[in-house]
């Protein structure tokens, strides 16, 4: 096991956290880190098309209240160098290399959507690196509807272009009053950072990630019973991107899994219920 380096307390908020980089076999990976203390660090993996600026500030700041939080861009995404991988497995390999490059020993891992696919594969490949796992808005390899994420997203993305709205307004939230209010609040939070913002994802990387998602959806199921770490699974009750039934499936197949389903919430249920989610996640990590 890699000997962990001491983590320095970084007293700042997500909107002000400095962007750093680490070289891995000649490729620069960018990341941001904040928080601190003696707790196991938490490494976060984000969704399809996301850069560092797409992590929810309320969730990152909330989790960083008691531990070090580290979030990074996949290869070829935002300001990270290289070419975006075409498989979840390659992204997981990069994630393992990133954790080791920072000199971390054991970590906790949080994955949202595509990040949840990566987190599962990373845990199966390097179980000695992972203490606890949080899987949100995600599903298993070969899960229901995952190979159709591109088709499901096409109309909401087009609607976003036509209405000059971020497509996440339609993709991540329900169309109810509660859902729309949560969508506006979430998208507003993503604009809080004014300086040192990340580069937008390139269209080529966006499409390569979509191919990786489709391949994950068509992949043979993995042996999730081999994940022996405690796992928290969370989602909204109306996730149309990665159907909510996949969260139930994860919780059923992973031996030490707890399941949280938020009412009147879609793919971005943890963003809509960010206060409740942060409280539940911190309690889970501290137990």
């Amino acid at each position: 096991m890699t000997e962990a380096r001491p983590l320095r307390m970084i007293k700042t908020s997500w909107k002000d956290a400095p962007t750093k980089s680490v070289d891995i076999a000649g490729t620069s990976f960018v990341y941001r880190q904040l928080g601190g203390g003696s707790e196991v660090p938490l490494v976060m993996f984000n969704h399809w098309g996301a850069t560092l600026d797409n992590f929810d500030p309320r969730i990152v700041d909330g989790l960083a209240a008691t531990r070090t939080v580290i979030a990074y861009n996949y290869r070829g995404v935002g300001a990270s160098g290289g070419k975006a991988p075409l498989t979840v497995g390659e992204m997981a390999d990069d994630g393992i290399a990133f954790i080791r490059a920072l000199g971390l020993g054991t970590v906790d891992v949080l994955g949202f959507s595509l990040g949840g696919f990566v987190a599962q594969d990373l845990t199966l490949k390097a179980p000695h690196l992972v203490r606890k796992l949080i899987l949100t808005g995600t599903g298993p390899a070969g899960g229901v509807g995952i190979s159709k994420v591109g088709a499901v997203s096409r109309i909401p993305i087009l609607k976003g272009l036509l209405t000059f709205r971020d497509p996440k307004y339609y993709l991540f939230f329900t169309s109810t009053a509660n859902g729309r209010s949560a969508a506006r609040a979430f998208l507003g939070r993503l604009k809080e950072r004014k300086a040192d913002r990340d580069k937008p994802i390139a269209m080529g990387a966006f499409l390569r990630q979509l191919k990786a998602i489709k391949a994950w959806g068509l992949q043979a199921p993995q042996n999730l019973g081999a994940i022996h770490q405690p796992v928290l699974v969370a989602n909204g009750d109306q996730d149309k991107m990665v159907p909510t039934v996949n969260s139930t499936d994860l919780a059923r197949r992973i031996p030490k899994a707890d399941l949280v389903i938020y009412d009147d919430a879609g793919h971005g249920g943890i963003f809509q219920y960010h206060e409740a989610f942060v409280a539940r996640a911190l309690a889970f990590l501290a137990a």
Side-chain angles (χ1 to χ4, degrees), residues 33 97 109 138 156 168-169 196 208 264 266 269:
Q33 173 185 328
V109 175
T138 194
K168 291 187 285 293
Y169 179 85
D196 187 29
R208 288 175 69 87
D264 185 21

Side-chain angles (χ1 to χ4, degrees), residues 70-137:
I70 301 167
Y72 94 123
N73 277 345
Y74 303 110
R75 181 185 299 266
V77 171
S80 283
K83 196 168 187 178
L86 284 171
T87 68
V88 168
E90 291 174 274
M91 296 180 205
D93 292 341
D94 280 344
I96 293 168
F98 173 76
I99 291 168
R100 289 174 173 160
L102 292 189
L104 304 177
T106 302
V107 300
D108 293 326
V109 175
L110 186 156
F112 171 63
S113 194
L114 169 61
F117 307 161
V118 175
Q120 291 170 66
D121 203 59
L122 183 156
T123 303
L124 289 168
K125 287 178 172 177
H128 59 286
L129 286 180
V130 182
R131 185 188 71 123
K132 292 188 177 183
L133 183 61
I134 302 176
L135 300 173
T136 66

Side-chain angles (χ1 to χ4, degrees), residues 205-227:
F206 183 81
L207 295 176
R208 288 175 69 87
Q209 283 191 341
L210 181 58
K211 289 181 179 179
I213 292 169
K214 184 173 182 179
W216 178 261
L218 296 174
Q219 184 176 316
Q222 294 177 310
N223 177 20
L224 297 181
I227 296 179

Side-chain angles (χ1 to χ4, degrees), residues 5-124:
R5 297 175 190 163
L7 290 169
R8 182 171 58 88
M9 174 69 78
I10 300 177
K11 296 181 179 180
T12 186
S13 62
W14 181 243
K15 68 182 178 66
D16 299 316
T19 303
K20 302 181 177 182
S21 66
V22 61
D23 183 274
I24 302 175
T27 298
S28 177
F29 286 77
V30 299
Y31 69 99
R32 294 179 189 148
Q33 173 185 328
L34 70 161
S38 61
E39 299 291 343
V40 174
L42 176 67
V43 180
M44 300 178 65
F45 296 87
N46 217 341
H47 63 83
W48 170 36
T51 68
L52 289 174
D53 294 329
N54 291 114
F55 286 97
D56 188 338
R58 295 300 175 276
I59 289 179
V60 181
D61 287 346
L63 295 173
T66 62
R67 62 189 55 246
T68 297
V69 176
I70 301 167
Y72 94 123
N73 277 345
Y74 303 110
R75 181 185 299 266
V77 171
S80 283
K83 196 168 187 178
L86 284 171
T87 68
V88 168
E90 291 174 274
M91 296 180 205
D93 292 341
D94 280 344
I96 293 168
F98 173 76
I99 291 168
R100 289 174 173 160
L102 292 189
L104 304 177
T106 302
V107 300
D108 293 326
V109 175
L110 186 156
F112 171 63
S113 194
L114 169 61
F117 307 161
V118 175
Q120 291 170 66
D121 203 59
L122 183 156
T123 303
L124 289 168

